[in-house]
Amino acid sequence: MIIFTPGLHNLRLLVMSILAAACGSGPVAEGPDASTVVDTPTIAATLRVTGKTVMASVGRSQEFTRVEVSVFRNGAQVPLATTFSGSDASYAVTLTTNGTAIDGYVLARYRDFVDTYFYPPAPMDSDVADLAVVIVTPALFHVAEEAAVGVTLEPVRGWSLVRVVDAANRPVPGAVVSSTPPGIVRYNGSDARPSKTATVTNDDGVAYAVNLPVGDVVFTATRALQSFTSPPVLVRAGVATATMLVP
């Protein structure tokens, strides 16, 4: 079970371009030729991303130090910035935007752990605080695969961890997760391990998807009349991908 506590894993993305556009409209002309002028949000020359690095393993998660953290734009070969988390597991990077929102991912690396690519639920266009960057242990990686008993696990395919959250960033239990293109989805069971029989997210909101085709994948989740989605996530073979599904 991956345990997400509000203080440790509270992702508060301050990327509110939609709200900024809705609330920052300019003057409205009157008369038959009336039109609305909408101000375009200005992206600062730099933005700052801060948070903690977290080890995700079977049955637990905890702050973890000395993790390499790099931020990339999608499609780029060179990171915008790279740092290491300190002795208190905290990290901070300053990113140059060139006036455009950063649509990309955070890569976490630590020795023989599984490289983990985290995709935020929205492009970053202002400072981001309390971004928990997860590094996946080999044990969790393999246990999640083993939960897909009854199928042939393909090493050339991908593995993802997704978390379903509500508008207040609280984990959503009882959600059914799927992907396009499809993979095999499993959830944590009552024994705090990835389960081959659980059919919905439990109180942590976490799901695992294995045997995903390499390439862009979109995750969705449903619970009653609610729906949740992710941006396109680039799934790679042999490493972990992580993202959040939001309303």
Side-chain angles (χ1 to χ4, degrees), residues 121-246:
M124 296 178 285
D125 61 7
S126 59
D127 290 347
V128 180
D130 298 327
L131 178 61
V133 173
V134 176
I135 184 76
V136 171
T137 65
L140 177 63
F141 190 82
H142 294 305
V143 167
E145 285 190 326
E146 290 165 5
V149 172
V151 301
T152 301
L153 300 176
E154 302 178 33
V156 296
R157 294 205 164 202
W159 185 107
S160 288
L161 181 154
V162 301
R163 184 186 181 216
V164 186
V165 298
D166 63 17
N169 197 44
R170 295 172 301 211
V172 174
V176 177
V177 174
S178 60
S179 66
T180 304
I184 300 168
V185 177
R186 294 292 183 261
Y187 309 90
N188 283 331
S190 58
D191 61 352
R193 299 168 63 90
S195 167
K196 63 178 179 288
T197 58
T199 58
V200 295
T201 55
N202 68 13
D203 290 343
D204 59 17
V206 171
Y208 310 91
V210 301
N211 270 9
L212 292 165
V214 171
D216 285 342
V217 174
V218 174
F219 294 98
T220 57
T222 57
R223 186 187 70 168
L225 298 179
Q226 293 179 292
S227 61
F228 308 81
T229 190
S230 74
V233 170
L234 178 58
V235 170
R236 303 163 174 84
V239 298
T241 302
T243 192
M244 300 173 69
L245 308 188
V246 296

Side-chain angles (χ1 to χ4, degrees), residues 60-77:
R60 65 193 177 98
S61 65
Q62 64 184 59
E63 292 180 358
F64 202 69
T65 64
R66 311 303 182 189
V67 176
E68 180 181 342
V69 177
S70 301
V71 182
F72 290 79
R73 285 187 184 272
N74 287 332
Q77 300 299 314

